[in-house]
């Protein structure tokens, strides 16, 4: 099978960081969001096609420098085509069936098992569903007792949500689905195409693991905490010569001797945290510099941000190169 991963969104809710870096390259627990999604793809996948758009060149450059362990090809859009348009634009030569994955969601999902269930049920598609309290940011599905999806509504008002089971952003579709996307314009797959597929048989695949869509600063930091807890069983590792409480993920060349930490921190490549500074529940991207005795908490700092000595940053999202 092949996989198609949608990666062309603007990441508007993560501005100003996403003015220079696409959200899928923001590191969570020591690894870019996109690579956490690639970890879910079965290792014998024939090819992964990334439907890129916004910042496609930045993604291409990153993949050249950090080639994934599986064959990956990118297909950029000249202008944003939406989730359906992106599928259509990048869908030439897709396998039948294929995996369709969003690139900003984290969960522990067995895609092979999902494909097996798809083959067993028949129908045109099988969608991974997860149960959440607040359905507002999501597409919501109502299921029949045989797990067939009877109704699907994208981002309904809470009073109109037919259940608490939402589209987790992992699915298996038959190739014919791509042909049902109107060509040549932007199309929301979830709003314009999916409801019309239900008559042809779309089944739910319930996922019981943790789940998060890392589309906002709060949810991005929550996603990082979930990933740390999943990968390290809650164990806290600290950089050599640092104090406090981990986990802290140290990427290539990051240094933090004499600094102190609270849990859940990623220090991106080349980050320096000087002695006496304290960092907790945060993501510091490439080459961020935190000077002596500064504090960074609940924050996401874009590349090359500089935090002055004794400065306190709490719940901030700062774009590339900002001096705080
Ligand atoms: N190629 C391409 N072109 N990709 C796009 C475009 C586009 O124009 N717009 C968005 N994407 C990508 C995003 O990068 C993301 O990986 C995925 O498509 C979904 O877009 P989001 O903008 O993150 O959508 P959402 O989070 O509001 O809703 C979607 O995900 C939810 C689960 O997190 C929907 O699929 C919902 O139904 C679902 O519940
Ligand atoms: Mg999203």
């Amino acid at each position: 099978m092949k996989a198609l991963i949608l990666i062309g969104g603007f990441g508007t809710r993560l501005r100003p960081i996403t003015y220079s870096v696409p959200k899928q390259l923001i590191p969570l627990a020591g690894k870019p969001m996109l690579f956490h999604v690639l970890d879910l793809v079965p290792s014998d996948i024939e090819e992964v096609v990334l439907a890129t758009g916004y910042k496609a060149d930045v993604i291409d450059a990153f993949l050249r420098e950090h080639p994934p362990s599986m064959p990956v090809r990118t297909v950029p859009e000249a202008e944003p085509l939406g989730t359906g348009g992106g599928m259509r634009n990048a869908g030439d030569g897709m396998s039948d069936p294929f995996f369709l994955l969003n690139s900003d969601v984290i969960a522990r999902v067995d895609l092979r098992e999902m494909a097996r269930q798809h083959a067993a049920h028949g129908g045109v598609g099988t969608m991974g569903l997860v149960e959440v309290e607040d359905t507002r940011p999501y597409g919501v599905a109502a299921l029949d007792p045989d797990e067939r999806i009877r109704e699907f509504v994208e981002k309904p008002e809470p009073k109109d949500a037919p259940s608490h089971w939402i589209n987790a952003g992992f699915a298996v579709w038959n190739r014919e689905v791509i042909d049902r996307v109107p060509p040549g314009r932007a199309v929301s797959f979830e709003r314009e195409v999916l409801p019309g597929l239900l008559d042809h048989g779309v089944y739910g695949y319930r996922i019981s693991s943790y789940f998060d869509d890392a589309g906002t600063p709060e949810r991005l930091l929550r996603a990082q905490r979930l990933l740390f807890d999943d990968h390290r069983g809650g164990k806290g590792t600290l950089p050599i010569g640092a104090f406090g409480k981990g986990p802290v993920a140290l990427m290539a060349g990051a240094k933090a001797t004499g600094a102190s930490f609270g849990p859940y921190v990623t220090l991106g490549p080349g980050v320096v945290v000087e002695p006496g500074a304290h960092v907790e529940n945060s993501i510091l991207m490439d080459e961020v510099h935190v000077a002596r005795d500064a504090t960074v908490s609940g924050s996401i700092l874009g590349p090359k941000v500089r935090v002055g000595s004794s400065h306190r940053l709490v719940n901030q999202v700062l774009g590339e190169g900002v001096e705080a």
Side-chain angles (χ1 to χ4, degrees), residues 278-291:
H278 178 80
V279 184
E280 60 182 37
N281 187 33
S282 292
I283 297 168
L284 278 49
M285 294 184 65
D286 313 41
E287 293 171 44
V288 164
H289 187 104
V290 181

Side-chain angles (χ1 to χ4, degrees), residues 5 15-16 33 43-44 81 112 116 127 136 152 171 197 212 254 262 269 280 282 284 292 294 305 322:
I5 304 186
R15 285 176 181 162
M33 200 187 288
S43 54
D44 59 353
L81 292 173
R112 267 203 192 96
R116 267 196 289 277
M127 293 177 73
R136 281 173 299 178
F152 184 87
L197 296 172
D212 206 358
E280 60 182 37
S282 292
L284 278 49
R292 279 177 186 270
V305 164
V322 167

Side-chain angles (χ1 to χ4, degrees), residues 17 26-31 217-228 239 245-251 260-269 271 273 277-286 288 290 294-302 305 307 311-318:
I17 292 198
I26 298 176
L28 299 177
K31 196 191 282 197
E218 298 72 32
R219 296 212 307 258
L220 189 78
L221 290 174
R222 177 169 177 267
Q224 164 157 278
R225 295 194 295 273
L226 292 167
L227 286 167
F228 267 128
K245 195 166 185 297
V248 175
L250 205 67
M251 296 175 75
S260 88
F261 289 92
Y264 307 117
V265 172
T266 292
L267 302 182
V271 165
V273 184
H278 178 80
V279 184
E280 60 182 37
N281 187 33
S282 292
I283 297 168
L284 278 49
M285 294 184 65
D286 313 41
V288 164
V290 181
T295 300
V296 178
S297 170
S299 295
I300 307 165
L301 308 184
V305 164
V307 184
H311 207 90
R312 273 180 68 78
L313 274 185
V314 180
N315 301 343
Q316 301 287 311
V317 179
L318 302 183

Side-chain angles (χ1 to χ4, degrees), residues 82-262:
T83 48
M87 282 167 76
R88 177 133 198 162
N89 185 60
D92 281 350
M94 260 305 124
S95 58
D96 188 22
F98 63 97
F99 294 111
L100 177 73
L101 311 175
N102 289 357
S103 53
D104 60 344
V105 280
I106 60 131
R108 182 170 275 258
V109 45
D110 184 344
L111 293 180
R112 267 203 192 96
E113 184 53 34
M114 188 189 287
R116 267 196 289 277
Q117 186 183 305
H118 176 66
H121 271 141
V124 292
T126 297
M127 293 177 73
L129 305 176
V130 67
E131 194 173 25
V132 299
E133 190 56 40
D134 180 6
T135 58
R136 281 173 299 178
Y138 301 114
V140 188
L143 292 103
D144 285 333
D146 64 353
E147 304 295 276
R148 186 170 167 159
I149 297 176
R150 159 167 39 90
E151 189 186 352
F152 184 87
V153 210
E154 183 65 16
K155 301 193 176 76
E157 289 294 316
K159 64 175 177 35
D160 301 323
S163 83
H164 283 272
W165 287 89
I166 60 120
N167 170 18
F170 307 96
V172 179
W173 293 106
N174 288 355
R175 197 175 48 206
E176 67 185 85
V177 162
I178 295 175
D179 302 326
R180 293 177 187 271
V181 177
R185 64 172 174 90
V187 177
S188 161
F189 181 72
E190 296 83 350
R191 290 178 197 276
E192 293 185 57
V193 183
L194 228 172
L197 296 172
L198 300 184
D199 283 346
H200 304 274
V202 180
Y203 289 84
Y205 174 81
R206 296 186 201 245
I207 298 169
S208 56
S209 83
Y210 60 88
F211 166 83
D212 206 358
D213 172 309
T216 66
E218 298 72 32
R219 296 212 307 258
L220 189 78
L221 290 174
R222 177 169 177 267
Q224 164 157 278
R225 295 194 295 273
L226 292 167
L227 286 167
F228 267 128
D229 287 346
D230 182 26
H231 294 182
R232 311 207 180 186
K235 280 207 240 20
T237 44
L238 279 173
I240 293 165
F243 311 99
K245 195 166 185 297
V248 175
L250 205 67
M251 296 175 75
K255 292 189 186 65
T257 313
S260 88
F261 289 92

